[in-house]
């Protein structure tokens, strides 16, 4: 469709942390730094790992817990080094079909929510079944990139 796409993702490992009881913006900041320290060598192998995209944030309706995640690079998918920070963990996400809406600019939590609402409305209008109680935000750019930024919101297909 012109305003969203349906993607199939294979199973993959992500390094994640959950930040509780903060605003989404503050959770993203804290979570990003915890994960950044992991890829900078705060792991059992003291291994530096390349930064990957996207950086995702799981947003659940009415919940102030946010799960922030970095994709584990392909060369480490089989055996990612274990985190040494007890708040950081490796998770394996199952294969999934995702409805994705892309947008540009600097994405705030409000902008992500607005885009997620627009995607949810479109999917309902088209009779597409999806899990409505949560969505993921996905950011692809460093904060220093000023132009042609790429952001997404994801809903899981039922």
């Amino acid at each position: 469709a012109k305003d969203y796409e349906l993607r199939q993702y294979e199973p993959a490992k992500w390094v994640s942390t959950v930040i509780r009881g903060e605003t989404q913006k503050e959770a993203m900041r804290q979570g990003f730094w915890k994960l950044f320290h992991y890829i900078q060598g705060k792991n059992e192998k003291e291994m530096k790992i390349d930064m990957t995209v996207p950086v995702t944030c799981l947003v659940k309706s009415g919940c102030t817990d946010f799960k922030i995640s970095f994709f584990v690079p392909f060369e480490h998918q089989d055996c990612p080094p274990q985190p040494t920070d007890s708040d950081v963990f490796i998770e394996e996400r199952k294969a999934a079909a995702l409805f994705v809406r892309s947008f540009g600019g600097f994405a705030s939590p409000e902008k992500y929510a607005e885009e997620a609402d627009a995607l949810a409305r479109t999917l309902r209008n088209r009779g597409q079944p999806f899990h409505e109680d949560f969505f993921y935000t996905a950011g692809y750019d460093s904060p220093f990139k000023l132009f042609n930024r790429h952001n997404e919101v994801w809903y899981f297909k039922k």
Side-chain angles (χ1 to χ4, degrees), residues 105-129:
F106 281 90
S108 64
E110 296 77 20
K111 180 66 173 163
Y112 277 124
E114 187 181 298
E115 295 291 336
D117 287 346
L119 177 55
R121 272 195 313 276
T122 300
L123 295 173
R124 280 187 215 104
N125 289 342
R126 300 214 174 128
Q128 292 282 8

mmCIF file of all heavy atoms in Angstrom, residues 105-129:
data_model
loop_
_atom_site.group_PDB
_atom_site.id
_atom_site.type_symbol
_atom_site.label_atom_id
_atom_site.label_comp_id
_atom_site.label_asym_id
_atom_site.label_seq_id
_atom_site.Cartn_x
_atom_site.Cartn_y
_atom_site.Cartn_z
ATOM 1 N N GLY A 105 12.306 13.222 9.230
ATOM 2 C CA GLY A 105 12.464 14.236 10.266
ATOM 3 C C GLY A 105 13.002 13.683 11.572
ATOM 4 O O GLY A 105 13.365 12.516 11.673
ATOM 5 N N PHE A 106 13.059 14.553 12.567
ATOM 6 C CA PHE A 106 13.468 14.148 13.918
ATOM 7 C C PHE A 106 12.234 13.634 14.625
ATOM 8 O O PHE A 106 11.244 14.347 14.738
ATOM 9 C CB PHE A 106 14.086 15.328 14.675
ATOM 10 C CG PHE A 106 15.503 15.591 14.295
ATOM 11 C CD1 PHE A 106 15.804 16.466 13.262
ATOM 12 C CD2 PHE A 106 16.544 14.941 14.943
ATOM 13 C CE1 PHE A 106 17.118 16.701 12.891
ATOM 14 C CE2 PHE A 106 17.863 15.170 14.581
ATOM 15 C CZ PHE A 106 18.153 16.053 13.561
ATOM 16 N N ALA A 107 12.278 12.405 15.092
ATOM 17 C CA ALA A 107 11.091 11.770 15.673
ATOM 18 C C ALA A 107 11.072 11.947 17.186
ATOM 19 O O ALA A 107 12.014 11.554 17.867
ATOM 20 C CB ALA A 107 11.059 10.298 15.322
ATOM 21 N N SER A 108 10.008 12.523 17.686
ATOM 22 C CA SER A 108 9.773 12.631 19.129
ATOM 23 C C SER A 108 8.808 11.518 19.515
ATOM 24 O O SER A 108 8.145 10.927 18.650
ATOM 25 C CB SER A 108 9.130 13.984 19.432
ATOM 26 O OG SER A 108 7.850 14.045 18.798
ATOM 27 N N PRO A 109 8.677 11.236 20.809
ATOM 28 C CA PRO A 109 7.658 10.260 21.223
ATOM 29 C C PRO A 109 6.258 10.647 20.719
ATOM 30 O O PRO A 109 5.481 9.775 20.318
ATOM 31 C CB PRO A 109 7.728 10.309 22.756
ATOM 32 C CG PRO A 109 9.161 10.681 23.033
ATOM 33 C CD PRO A 109 9.517 11.661 21.934
ATOM 34 N N GLU A 110 5.966 11.941 20.700
ATOM 35 C CA GLU A 110 4.655 12.396 20.213
ATOM 36 C C GLU A 110 4.488 12.097 18.725
ATOM 37 O O GLU A 110 3.421 11.677 18.281
ATOM 38 C CB GLU A 110 4.488 13.906 20.464
ATOM 39 C CG GLU A 110 4.478 14.298 21.928
ATOM 40 C CD GLU A 110 5.861 14.308 22.603
ATOM 41 O OE1 GLU A 110 6.895 14.380 21.902
ATOM 42 O OE2 GLU A 110 5.899 14.214 23.854
ATOM 43 N N LYS A 111 5.550 12.321 17.945
ATOM 44 C CA LYS A 111 5.500 12.053 16.504
ATOM 45 C C LYS A 111 5.350 10.548 16.250
ATOM 46 O O LYS A 111 4.569 10.133 15.394
ATOM 47 C CB LYS A 111 6.758 12.609 15.825
ATOM 48 C CG LYS A 111 6.812 12.382 14.326
ATOM 49 C CD LYS A 111 5.739 13.146 13.579
ATOM 50 C CE LYS A 111 5.945 13.031 12.075
ATOM 51 N NZ LYS A 111 4.731 13.405 11.343
ATOM 52 N N TYR A 112 6.090 9.716 17.007
ATOM 53 C CA TYR A 112 5.936 8.266 16.862
ATOM 54 C C TYR A 112 4.500 7.851 17.171
ATOM 55 O O TYR A 112 3.906 7.046 16.450
ATOM 56 C CB TYR A 112 6.901 7.517 17.790
ATOM 57 C CG TYR A 112 8.301 7.339 17.252
ATOM 58 C CD1 TYR A 112 9.388 7.796 17.981
ATOM 59 C CD2 TYR A 112 8.548 6.680 16.045
ATOM 60 C CE1 TYR A 112 10.701 7.599 17.518
ATOM 61 C CE2 TYR A 112 9.846 6.496 15.579
ATOM 62 C CZ TYR A 112 10.915 6.957 16.315
ATOM 63 O OH TYR A 112 12.193 6.758 15.855
ATOM 64 N N ALA A 113 3.915 8.397 18.241
ATOM 65 C CA ALA A 113 2.540 8.046 18.623
ATOM 66 C C ALA A 113 1.556 8.461 17.530
ATOM 67 O O ALA A 113 0.632 7.718 17.191
ATOM 68 C CB ALA A 113 2.175 8.697 19.957
ATOM 69 N N GLU A 114 1.766 9.640 16.978
ATOM 70 C CA GLU A 114 0.911 10.151 15.896
ATOM 71 C C GLU A 114 0.984 9.230 14.668
ATOM 72 O O GLU A 114 -0.040 8.886 14.075
ATOM 73 C CB GLU A 114 1.434 11.552 15.564
ATOM 74 C CG GLU A 114 0.662 12.377 14.605
ATOM 75 C CD GLU A 114 1.400 13.724 14.404
ATOM 76 O OE1 GLU A 114 1.553 14.493 15.378
ATOM 77 O OE2 GLU A 114 1.821 13.964 13.256
ATOM 78 N N GLU A 115 2.198 8.829 14.303
ATOM 79 C CA GLU A 115 2.381 7.943 13.148
ATOM 80 C C GLU A 115 1.795 6.552 13.423
ATOM 81 O O GLU A 115 1.207 5.935 12.534
ATOM 82 C CB GLU A 115 3.865 7.843 12.776
ATOM 83 C CG GLU A 115 4.468 9.151 12.290
ATOM 84 C CD GLU A 115 3.943 9.609 10.939
ATOM 85 O OE1 GLU A 115 3.471 8.775 10.142
ATOM 86 O OE2 GLU A 115 4.016 10.825 10.665
ATOM 87 N N ALA A 116 1.956 6.056 14.658
ATOM 88 C CA ALA A 116 1.378 4.759 15.025
ATOM 89 C C ALA A 116 -0.154 4.822 14.945
ATOM 90 O O ALA A 116 -0.794 3.889 14.451
ATOM 91 C CB ALA A 116 1.833 4.336 16.419
ATOM 92 N N ASP A 117 -0.737 5.927 15.420
ATOM 93 C CA ASP A 117 -2.200 6.105 15.337
ATOM 94 C C ASP A 117 -2.658 6.108 13.881
ATOM 95 O O ASP A 117 -3.675 5.492 13.545
ATOM 96 C CB ASP A 117 -2.641 7.413 16.012
ATOM 97 C CG ASP A 117 -2.567 7.349 17.528
ATOM 98 O OD1 ASP A 117 -2.432 6.232 18.088
ATOM 99 O OD2 ASP A 117 -2.637 8.418 18.159
ATOM 100 N N ALA A 118 -1.915 6.800 13.033
ATOM 101 C CA ALA A 118 -2.275 6.860 11.608
ATOM 102 C C ALA A 118 -2.191 5.466 10.977
ATOM 103 O O ALA A 118 -3.086 5.072 10.214
ATOM 104 C CB ALA A 118 -1.359 7.839 10.873
ATOM 105 N N LEU A 119 -1.147 4.714 11.302
ATOM 106 C CA LEU A 119 -1.012 3.352 10.770
ATOM 107 C C LEU A 119 -2.147 2.470 11.281
ATOM 108 O O LEU A 119 -2.757 1.719 10.508
ATOM 109 C CB LEU A 119 0.353 2.761 11.140
ATOM 110 C CG LEU A 119 0.602 1.307 10.713
ATOM 111 C CD1 LEU A 119 0.401 1.106 9.215
ATOM 112 C CD2 LEU A 119 2.007 0.873 11.134
ATOM 113 N N ALA A 120 -2.453 2.551 12.572
ATOM 114 C CA ALA A 120 -3.530 1.740 13.151
ATOM 115 C C ALA A 120 -4.869 2.053 12.470
ATOM 116 O O ALA A 120 -5.626 1.130 12.133
ATOM 117 C CB ALA A 120 -3.625 1.989 14.664
ATOM 118 N N ARG A 121 -5.159 3.330 12.243
ATOM 119 C CA ARG A 121 -6.408 3.718 11.561
ATOM 120 C C ARG A 121 -6.468 3.110 10.162
ATOM 121 O O ARG A 121 -7.489 2.548 9.763
ATOM 122 C CB ARG A 121 -6.508 5.253 11.450
ATOM 123 C CG ARG A 121 -7.154 5.927 12.639
ATOM 124 C CD ARG A 121 -7.548 7.370 12.337
ATOM 125 N NE ARG A 121 -6.513 8.161 11.690
ATOM 126 C CZ ARG A 121 -5.524 8.783 12.337
ATOM 127 N NH1 ARG A 121 -5.412 8.713 13.636
ATOM 128 N NH2 ARG A 121 -4.625 9.480 11.658
ATOM 129 N N THR A 122 -5.371 3.212 9.427
ATOM 130 C CA THR A 122 -5.309 2.665 8.065
ATOM 131 C C THR A 122 -5.542 1.158 8.079
ATOM 132 O O THR A 122 -6.320 0.630 7.268
ATOM 133 C CB THR A 122 -3.940 2.983 7.420
ATOM 134 O OG1 THR A 122 -3.778 4.403 7.375
ATOM 135 C CG2 THR A 122 -3.836 2.414 6.024
ATOM 136 N N LEU A 123 -4.872 0.463 8.993
ATOM 137 C CA LEU A 123 -5.002 -0.995 9.054
ATOM 138 C C LEU A 123 -6.434 -1.395 9.404
ATOM 139 O O LEU A 123 -6.988 -2.334 8.813
ATOM 140 C CB LEU A 123 -4.015 -1.581 10.070
ATOM 141 C CG LEU A 123 -2.529 -1.417 9.714
ATOM 142 C CD1 LEU A 123 -1.643 -1.881 10.862
ATOM 143 C CD2 LEU A 123 -2.186 -2.149 8.421
ATOM 144 N N ARG A 124 -7.055 -0.693 10.366
ATOM 145 C CA ARG A 124 -8.462 -0.983 10.723
ATOM 146 C C ARG A 124 -9.381 -0.750 9.520
ATOM 147 O O ARG A 124 -10.256 -1.562 9.238
ATOM 148 C CB ARG A 124 -8.907 -0.104 11.895
ATOM 149 C CG ARG A 124 -8.440 -0.607 13.232
ATOM 150 C CD ARG A 124 -9.066 0.205 14.388
ATOM 151 N NE ARG A 124 -8.100 0.317 15.440
ATOM 152 C CZ ARG A 124 -7.369 1.392 15.735
ATOM 153 N NH1 ARG A 124 -7.548 2.529 15.074
ATOM 154 N NH2 ARG A 124 -6.483 1.363 16.699
ATOM 155 N N ASN A 125 -9.173 0.372 8.827
ATOM 156 C CA ASN A 125 -10.008 0.703 7.665
ATOM 157 C C ASN A 125 -9.883 -0.336 6.557
ATOM 158 O O ASN A 125 -10.818 -0.548 5.800
ATOM 159 C CB ASN A 125 -9.640 2.082 7.094
ATOM 160 C CG ASN A 125 -10.068 3.215 8.008
ATOM 161 O OD1 ASN A 125 -10.909 3.028 8.887
ATOM 162 N ND2 ASN A 125 -9.467 4.383 7.829
ATOM 163 N N ARG A 126 -8.733 -0.981 6.460
ATOM 164 C CA ARG A 126 -8.500 -1.978 5.410
ATOM 165 C C ARG A 126 -8.782 -3.392 5.898
ATOM 166 O O ARG A 126 -8.516 -4.356 5.182
ATOM 167 C CB ARG A 126 -7.058 -1.877 4.911
ATOM 168 C CG ARG A 126 -6.795 -0.493 4.330
ATOM 169 C CD ARG A 126 -5.846 -0.515 3.180
ATOM 170 N NE ARG A 126 -5.772 0.819 2.614
ATOM 171 C CZ ARG A 126 -4.660 1.473 2.397
ATOM 172 N NH1 ARG A 126 -3.507 0.911 2.659
ATOM 173 N NH2 ARG A 126 -4.694 2.675 1.889
ATOM 174 N N GLY A 127 -9.255 -3.526 7.158
ATOM 175 C CA GLY A 127 -9.585 -4.846 7.687
ATOM 176 C C GLY A 127 -8.381 -5.735 7.933
ATOM 177 O O GLY A 127 -8.494 -6.961 7.902
ATOM 178 N N GLN A 128 -7.225 -5.122 8.170
ATOM 179 C CA GLN A 128 -5.996 -5.895 8.422
ATOM 180 C C GLN A 128 -5.894 -6.174 9.925
ATOM 181 O O GLN A 128 -5.812 -5.247 10.719
ATOM 182 C CB GLN A 128 -4.757 -5.098 7.985
ATOM 183 C CG GLN A 128 -4.649 -4.912 6.491
ATOM 184 C CD GLN A 128 -4.132 -6.155 5.794
ATOM 185 O OE1 GLN A 128 -3.975 -7.221 6.381
ATOM 186 N NE2 GLN A 128 -3.866 -6.017 4.507
ATOM 187 N N PRO A 129 -5.900 -7.436 10.350
ATOM 188 C CA PRO A 129 -5.782 -7.743 11.782
ATOM 189 C C PRO A 129 -4.344 -7.546 12.277
ATOM 190 O O PRO A 129 -3.398 -7.976 11.625
ATOM 191 C CB PRO A 129 -6.202 -9.215 11.875
ATOM 192 C CG PRO A 129 -5.955 -9.773 10.508
ATOM 193 C CD PRO A 129 -6.056 -8.640 9.526
#
